[in-house]
Amino acid sequence: MDIKDIKVTDMDKGLSASQVLQAKSNKIEDQSSKSYKKILQANIFSLFNAINVFLAFLVVLTGSYRNMLFMGVVIGNALIGIVQEVRSKKKLDALALLNQQKAHVLRDGKVDKIPVDEIVENDLILLQAGDQICVDGFLVSGEVECNESLLTGESDAIHKNQGDTLYSGSYVEAGHAKMQAVHVGEDTYVHSILKHAQREKKYPSQLRDSINSIIRFCTIILFPAGILLFLKSFFISQYSLNASILSTVAAVVGMIPEGLVILTSIALAIGALRLANQKVLVQELYCIETLARVDTLCLDKTGTITEGSMKVTGIEPLSKYSQKEIRTILSRMFGALQDENATALAIREYCPVEVVPVKQIIPFSSSRKASAVLFEEEGYIIGAYPFIVKQPDASIVEKIEQYAKRGIRVLALCKAKESVQDSLLGDHEPIGLILIQDVLRKDIQTILSYFYKQGVDIKIISGDDANTVQAIAQKAGVQSLAVDMNTVQNIDLALREYSVFGRVTPEQKRDMILALKKQGHTVAMTGDGVNDVMALKEADCSIAMGSGSEATKNIASLVLLEDQFAALPSILNQGRCVINNIQRTASLFLVKTLLSLGCSLLTLFLLESYPFLPIQLTLISSLATGLPSFVLTLEPNTTRVQGHFLRTVFSKALPGAFCILLAIIGVYCFDVLGHQNLTYTQFSTMCTLLAGCNALCVLISVCKPMTKLRMLLVILMCSAFIVCCIVPSLQAWFCIELGVLTWIQKLYVLINIPIIFAVVFGLSRFVDKKLKKSKKNS
């Protein structure tokens, strides 16, 4: 942009109210949650719903309207999905409004804090460290250091002076300044890039990928299987058109795990809603699943295991300067420096500021770990001792190490002996040590102990001295030696040997996350500062503190709005609850899918016609799958998630599906070998009774270990099935014609029921043992 062609806004007053009304605003379509339109579309206009509607239309052509009852499940699922997602959206939108990024603007001579989408062209915006720049513009006063890594991939801070251009998507690392907005909204240079850099990353999700695989498989096999079954029934078995349509519809309906997709969305939405009630803003729905699988938690020291506040505990002079003189120097330095980090605030509290004339100010940045002020006659530098003195004094280094072992952070105050360069490293005279201590969170030991018990490894990462970080980590309950990352050549090896890391640069934080992921870990990271942004972006699940910088909150998948670090165990448990319950109920849905696929193959190569009518499968799936799945999905279940989702659910579903197929083959052999000459009604009734008992047996197996709620659920479902089988009107409705069975056919069914229970439970125990062994080996 050419600033020569832009009229500079009044520096003292900013825009007037009338100018604001006439200017273009910074509004961009909000994508923090689904719109109501998208919620309706996702729950109504789905492929599975379209298939079911088409099948219902075919049933209408037969005139057998009761066989359309499967549409009740489809409609019910859609309604429940819409209601739950709308509830979740309202709650999340309310929290997002509270957490909305805001900016300080100068208007009518007053500084107002407003949402970024209310910024307009030519607004004057006040910038400070930690702010994310939300529009394109140029500096009109002051100077800042900007990190443009989200735009360029280069993490080095860029110094910006008056007249320099600033781009949205970058963030301020240090300094204070005033910028004028030039391009806003979708006109900004990085509008599309910034959206991608913030939250449009595809988070890893076994759940999403597994369900998509199931959908693809069902879609591929569904149509050819349906056509072949119809042709077999109508042309080869010589059944009527209506009977052929009904048997084909039954087979196709059974193949569709229609409830699984919606149930997953509902479970994730409920998880997000529960977290919202704990003041946790979920910005990426599938990160709830990632939480359940986290085995490594990386914690930034400052603001995470500590409260984010510091206090100065003392000053130790190193030369002829007295404590009083050093305090005076600090008062003047931090009267000039505009840094607002925790260290600066602690020093200002200890040394009330004094404003004097200065020649040059170099604000603090995480890359140089120091700041400097040049007064009229002398200059002073404050920062990490190894970063500002070329030839460190061994006695001073030893003192710093001794303090660090006690958990005290030490800053060196030096008098500049040469011209101060941007790096601040030089032959400067140390004149004093400033002793600063972090304040630990009260509940940190309990929280970290909980994670250790849950099998989650803890990594403490900090830019501070390694000895200081080690002392604080040990107080928090992390018993590990610390390593100075300045000395580390192999990050991968260091991560295997250590759990506490000091002197970590922003780039190293990012590299550490990538290395952990390469080792096969599922990594969550917490952070609150701009130096955490690159690492948060790479983590499988990123958690930002609500009081942190706007940059970290925008990039994170979860935001702790009230800095409630104590909520992390609850967040982990919520993720586990969602995935464990989906994993359990998914196996119920897949029993029906596998059964239908197996029955279709049996029908094509062995049976005369498909053994079930749609209404019969509706009864079985409603009582053994549909209703129980919604109850089980809401249950608390904080067991650690292990194993691959798809492998686990198919392993648990196979025994039930296999047993039903054996029962159907058994009925076929009983018919042929026993010379029963079963009619279709007799055959389908016997198969329905055995399939219903088998499905309820699978439900009992899934509900183990039994709780009061699960026991009540099993009793209600079994009782409902018995009632439907013995009440004449319900028998007729669900096409269970017990009256047409002979006594020997009834006896055959009764004898097979305990056999089914024994086989299902036996196979389930065998599969569970195999899965446990597989998990231990992995």
Side-chain angles (χ1 to χ4, degrees):
M1 65 187 75
D2 191 351
I3 62 174
K4 294 179 181 179
D5 300 329
I6 300 171
K7 182 181 178 181
V8 178
T9 304
D10 189 313
M11 293 284 291
D12 297 321
K13 294 184 178 180
L15 295 180
S16 65
S18 59
Q19 288 175 317
V20 170
L21 290 174
Q22 295 172 9
K24 181 178 179 178
S25 71
N26 191 41
K27 286 189 180 295
I28 299 173
E29 182 183 358
D30 181 26
Q31 296 180 341
S32 60
S33 68
K34 282 185 181 179
S35 65
Y36 291 111
K37 182 180 178 181
K38 287 184 178 178
I39 290 174
L40 289 173
Q41 287 176 340
N43 285 279
I44 295 175
F45 301 107
S46 66
L47 174 62
F48 282 174
N49 285 355
I51 293 171
N52 278 291
V53 169
F54 174 71
L55 296 175
F57 171 73
L58 294 179
V59 174
V60 169
L61 296 180
T62 70
S64 182
Y65 300 115
R66 62 182 170 178
N67 281 294
M68 288 176 56
L69 194 60
F70 65 86
M71 283 301 296
V73 177
V74 176
I75 294 170
N77 284 343
L79 288 175
I80 292 171
I82 291 168
V83 170
Q84 289 291 355
E85 288 201 56
V86 167
R87 284 181 61 197
S88 180
K89 173 184 168 55
K90 287 182 177 179
K91 186 72 176 180
L92 293 177
D93 284 352
L95 286 179
L97 186 62
L98 292 174
N99 191 52
Q100 188 178 29
Q101 183 185 350
K102 294 184 178 181
H104 291 89
V105 299
L106 179 65
R107 290 178 179 174
D108 286 323
K110 297 179 181 179
V111 176
D112 294 324
K113 190 174 183 179
I114 64 171
V116 296
D117 61 0
E118 294 181 13
I119 294 173
V120 299
E121 285 181 347
N122 296 318
D123 251 328
L124 291 183
I125 304 167
L126 281 64
L127 301 176
Q128 62 182 11
D131 286 347
Q132 184 170 35
I133 299 170
C134 49
V135 295
D136 293 348
F138 62 94
L139 278 186
V140 291
S141 68
E143 56 185 273
V144 294
E145 289 193 359
C146 281
N147 187 307
E148 296 182 348
S149 60
L150 294 182
L151 316 180
T152 65
E154 299 294 332
S155 59
D156 293 337
I158 300 172
H159 196 84
K160 301 280 187 176
N161 293 303
Q162 184 175 339
D164 288 341
T165 301
L166 300 175
Y167 293 103
S168 62
S170 57
Y171 52 88
V172 180
E173 278 196 351
H176 261 74
K178 192 182 292 182
M179 72 170 288
Q180 180 171 331
V182 177
H183 298 307
V184 297
E186 296 183 359
D187 293 337
T188 56
Y189 174 66
V190 289
H191 167 62
S192 59
I193 300 175
L194 182 58
K195 286 196 301 180
H196 172 75
Q198 287 180 346
R199 286 196 301 272
E200 289 194 358
K201 156 186 172 180
K202 187 177 181 180
Y203 284 81
S205 171
Q206 280 190 30
L207 182 62
R208 178 191 59 229
D209 296 342
S210 298
I211 290 175
N212 287 341
S213 297
I214 294 170
I215 291 171
R216 283 195 297 269
F217 175 76
C218 291
T219 304
I220 291 169
I221 202 169
L222 189 130
F223 292 105
I227 293 170
L228 290 174
L229 286 170
F230 176 79
L231 294 175
K232 166 77 183 293
S233 178
F234 186 68
F235 291 105
I236 298 175
S237 299
Q238 298 293 310
Y239 280 88
S240 66
L241 177 63
N242 285 355
S244 298
I245 289 175
L246 290 177
S247 65
T248 302
V249 168
V252 174
V253 167
M255 293 180 198
I256 305 171
E258 72 280 336
L260 181 58
V261 180
I262 296 174
L263 188 72
T264 302
S265 298
I266 292 171
L268 291 172
I270 291 173
L273 188 60
R274 285 174 175 170
L275 291 177
N277 289 332
Q278 299 178 53
K279 303 298 181 185
V280 178
L281 177 61
V282 179
Q283 301 193 120
E284 166 56 44
L285 205 56
Y286 275 100
C287 75
I288 295 175
E289 179 202 356
T290 310
L291 281 172
R293 304 185 184 279
V294 164
D295 60 18
T296 305
L297 176 61
C298 297
L299 302 175
D300 178 52
K301 176 184 72 68
T302 307
T304 304
I305 67 172
T306 65
E307 291 183 353
S309 60
M310 295 183 178
K311 61 178 181 180
V312 177
T313 59
I315 293 174
E316 181 176 337
L318 294 176
S319 62
K320 61 183 179 180
Y321 288 81
S322 66
Q323 280 197 7
K324 183 178 180 181
E325 289 173 316
I326 292 174
R327 290 185 69 163
T328 300
I329 293 170
L330 291 174
S331 297
R332 292 175 178 176
M333 284 186 73
F334 284 87
L337 287 168
Q338 296 180 335
D339 299 336
E340 296 293 336
N341 53 51
T343 302
L345 294 175
I347 293 175
R348 288 195 187 101
E349 185 178 351
Y350 189 76
C351 309
V353 299
E354 181 183 345
V355 179
V356 297
V358 296
K359 291 171 63 178
Q360 183 184 1
I361 296 172
I362 301 179
F364 175 84
S365 77
S366 57
S367 56
R368 58 174 163 257
K369 298 188 184 301
S371 54
V373 177
L374 272 63
F375 298 103
E376 294 294 335
E377 296 181 357
E378 66 245 327
Y380 295 93
I381 305 162
I382 185 170
Y385 185 64
F387 283 78
I388 57 178
V389 178
K390 278 185 179 180
Q391 297 178 339
D393 184 291
S395 62
I396 295 177
V397 171
E398 185 179 355
K399 281 185 180 182
I400 292 173
E401 288 177 351
Q402 292 301 317
Y403 281 121
K405 289 176 182 178
R406 292 160 48 193
I408 297 174
R409 182 184 174 199
V410 181
L411 295 179
L413 178 65
C414 294
K415 183 177 180 181
K417 282 189 174 181
E418 54 190 60
S419 60
V420 178
Q421 303 298 320
D422 188 56
S423 68
L424 299 183
L425 185 65
D427 295 321
H428 308 303
E429 178 192 358
I431 61 175
L433 300 178
I434 294 86
L435 313 180
I436 301 175
Q437 197 162 22
D438 287 288
V439 181
L440 276 177
R441 291 184 182 272
K442 295 179 182 178
D443 48 5
I444 187 64
Q445 289 183 338
T446 304
I447 296 169
L448 296 189
S449 175
Y450 167 84
F451 280 111
Y452 279 126
K453 289 177 182 177
Q454 295 298 316
V456 178
D457 190 26
I458 303 294
K459 303 288 186 185
I460 306 296
I461 301 173
S462 175
D464 291 341
D465 177 79
N467 291 322
T468 304
V469 182
Q470 178 177 307
I472 292 173
Q474 288 179 345
K475 288 180 183 178
V478 181
Q479 302 303 320
S480 168
L481 293 177
V483 60
D484 188 327
M485 289 300 289
N486 286 329
T487 66
V488 170
Q489 301 296 323
N490 188 326
I491 288 180
D492 185 76
L493 184 61
L495 286 166
R496 296 179 190 274
E497 295 181 354
Y498 298 93
S499 292
V500 181
F501 305 87
R503 294 297 182 213
V504 187
T505 65
E507 294 81 11
Q508 285 175 326
K509 285 186 181 183
R510 175 199 60 204
D511 294 341
M512 290 169 76
I513 298 297
L514 291 172
L516 285 167
K517 289 168 66 176
K518 191 175 180 180
Q519 290 174 10
H521 296 290
T522 302
V523 185
M525 178 174 174
T526 66
D528 67 339
V530 292
N531 60 322
D532 300 320
V533 169
M534 286 185 287
L536 287 170
K537 184 181 174 185
E538 296 300 338
D540 294 312
C541 181
S542 50
I543 305 168
M545 298 295 166
S547 63
S549 68
E550 296 298 340
T552 57
K553 287 186 284 188
N554 282 343
I555 209 81
S557 44
L558 291 174
V559 180
L560 306 180
L561 294 178
E562 296 180 353
D563 286 4
Q564 65 278 32
F565 185 74
L568 281 183
S570 177
I571 294 171
L572 178 70
N573 285 338
Q574 188 56 56
R576 290 180 173 180
C577 182
V578 169
I579 302 309
N580 282 325
N581 287 334
I582 290 176
Q583 198 160 274
R584 176 190 288 119
T585 53
S587 61
L588 292 175
F589 284 102
L590 291 181
V591 167
K592 187 188 75 165
T593 300
L594 293 174
L595 163 66
S596 298
L597 290 172
C599 282
S600 298
L601 291 173
L602 286 177
T603 303
L604 289 173
F605 298 106
L606 183 66
L607 307 177
E608 285 192 7
S609 185
Y610 197 78
F612 301 105
L613 291 172
I615 190 67
Q616 294 168 335
L617 283 180
T618 299
L619 171 65
I620 295 171
S621 61
S622 296
L623 297 180
T625 305
L627 295 174
S629 65
F630 286 109
V631 175
L632 294 174
T633 301
L634 302 177
E635 261 200 318
N637 186 345
T638 59
T639 307
R640 184 181 176 188
V641 177
Q642 291 180 303
H644 191 276
F645 177 83
L646 202 56
R647 189 182 306 117
T648 300
V649 296
F650 267 110
S651 297
K652 288 182 174 294
L654 276 172
F658 178 71
C659 195
I660 296 177
L661 293 175
L662 282 181
I664 293 170
I665 293 172
V667 174
Y668 174 80
C669 293
F670 171 72
D671 178 27
V672 175
L673 300 178
H675 305 290
Q676 293 294 308
N677 296 318
L678 295 176
T679 65
Y680 179 78
T681 302
Q682 290 174 322
F683 188 80
S684 66
T685 297
M686 292 177 69
C687 289
T688 301
L689 292 172
L690 293 175
C693 292
N694 186 95
L696 291 170
C697 186
V698 172
L699 175 61
I700 294 170
S701 178
V702 166
C703 286
K704 288 183 177 182
M706 284 291 177
T707 62
K708 289 183 179 179
L709 176 63
R710 294 177 190 176
M711 181 65 74
L712 179 61
L713 176 66
V714 168
I715 291 172
L716 287 175
M717 296 301 101
C718 290
S719 300
F721 184 70
I722 292 170
V723 168
C724 291
C725 290
I726 62 176
V727 174
S729 59
L730 293 175
Q731 281 186 27
W733 179 259
F734 289 108
C735 296
I736 301 174
E737 305 290 347
L738 285 179
V740 302
L741 298 182
T742 64
W743 69 269
I744 194 169
Q745 292 164 1
K746 292 177 182 177
L747 181 62
Y748 177 84
V749 172
L750 289 173
I751 291 173
N752 271 269
I753 289 174
I755 296 174
I756 286 173
F757 273 68
V759 174
V760 169
F761 288 139
L763 287 175
S764 295
R765 280 196 296 269
F766 174 77
V767 168
D768 286 341
K769 287 180 181 178
K770 287 291 185 182
L771 287 174
K772 287 179 182 178
K773 186 177 180 180
S774 175
K775 289 172 184 176
K776 285 181 181 179
N777 292 336
S778 62

